[in-house]
Amino acid sequence: MTIRVLVVDDSVVIRRLVVQALESDPGIEVISTAANGKLALAKVEQLRPDAVTMDIEMPELNGVEAVRELRKRGHQMPIIMFSTLTERGATATLDALSAGASDYVAKPSNVGSINESLKAVADQLIPKIRALVPGARQAPQRAAGVPVRAAVGAPPAPRTAAPRQGARRHPVRAVVLGCSTGGPEALSRVVERLTVPLPVPMLVVQHMPAVFTRQLANRLDRLGPSTVVEAEDGQALVPGGIYIAPGDTHLEVDGKAGNLRARITHGPPVNFCRPSVDVLFRSVLERIGPDLLGVILTGMGADGKAGSGAIAEAGGTIVVQDEKTSVVWGMPGVTAQAGYAHRIVPILEIGQTISALVQASAAPQEVN
């Protein structure tokens, strides 16, 4: 299928950049552009695009307000925000995600040439559009200057997966969680449904830039009884705390169960990601063994699959978000289809599931 996209931005230069970047993919057609949110509303009603790219700061009607109005009118097409890597941009982007935006990409900054800017935009935007638009497939050929990345969206058929059987009973001494596309809102649903702080630390990787992860932690901290912070190097990981990996760094751990400390590292990206879910999962598994609960929420790609497999094979427990409630069933989907997930759960039940599994693991175990 050809994916029909509406590009919305008040800057003529940025509109041209986005149009050129998208049209480097032969499977994407830019059907129109709009200079503000008000014009975008009219063009969506008229043209019914498959996807929309949306600037945040615009006259007449800004991007957050436009997203909110589109969702109010019942339009369900993916909307990808075009954001600046600033505190203000991070705040507005998280507002847009809360209003119903599907995902975001960062505007290129400190990029040397127009060709480099085009490549930066195309590398971010094209895989997300292809993953988010129902029925779209990753282009089989390489667009000019754009690398084809493996495992971008949900995996191909078959798309059903049975939960893993025979989980061993271990006390849960830490919860590790990974997510990407759709993750900020999914995390909100999890955190707000933890009715009491967990008796163990939770460590989280959300694929985001540095400024964004700090803002995300601040927002999540207001949603429930748990204390949510952006992790710092050397920080003690205490029961009841939720620790978000800082953007553009890996979150690992030192110490042992009951005395874990965060370790912030700058190793190379893994699965094209830094922070990486696999890096976190493997690090915690190495330190405390199978006494782990791993959780994979909505997200593009396959980050977390290998780490989940390692935890499951060691005897820990893996929970993944179901396909119906995932924005993209990429990360949870490949994990489930590999046979690593013990439970496949709707997002509104994951917080309760985490609490129940942690509490159950603390109960006296019968010796066989």
Side-chain angles (χ1 to χ4, degrees), residues 131-312:
L132 288 165
V133 173
R137 291 277 184 253
Q138 181 67 22
Q141 68 268 46
R142 185 187 303 267
V146 181
V148 174
R149 294 185 173 182
V152 167
R159 295 179 60 78
T160 57
R164 185 184 183 93
Q165 301 299 314
R168 300 174 214 169
R169 297 291 297 277
H170 287 277
V172 175
R173 304 192 189 279
V175 177
V176 287
L177 185 152
C179 49
S180 185
T181 309
E185 285 307 292
L187 280 171
S188 296
R189 302 291 83 79
V190 172
V191 171
E192 69 187 9
R193 282 167 173 76
L194 296 174
T195 55
V196 296
L198 296 174
V200 298
M202 178 190 290
L203 290 77
V204 176
V205 164
Q206 161 69 50
H207 297 155
M208 271 187 156
V211 175
F212 286 61
T213 50
R214 183 167 60 251
Q215 294 274 10
L216 176 64
N218 292 340
R219 288 185 177 228
L220 294 175
D221 187 53
R222 299 193 290 266
L223 294 181
S226 304
T227 299
V228 186
V229 298
E230 186 181 60
E232 298 179 3
D233 192 52
Q235 182 176 23
L237 304 174
V238 301
I242 299 177
Y243 303 89
I244 310 292
D248 199 32
T249 64
H250 292 307
L251 174 58
E252 302 182 65
V253 297
D254 282 326
K256 57 185 179 180
N259 189 28
L260 290 176
R261 292 188 175 274
R263 182 158 59 96
I264 306 303
T265 64
H266 294 81
V270 174
N271 303 313
F272 306 104
C273 302
R274 189 173 62 199
S276 164
V277 181
D278 279 338
V279 169
L280 170 64
F281 281 24
R282 289 184 181 280
S283 175
V284 181
L285 177 63
E286 180 181 338
R287 289 295 174 178
I288 70 175
D291 301 349
L292 272 176
L293 171 58
V295 182
I296 301 289
L297 304 182
T298 174
M300 287 170 51
D303 192 26
K305 173 187 170 183
S308 294
I311 291 173

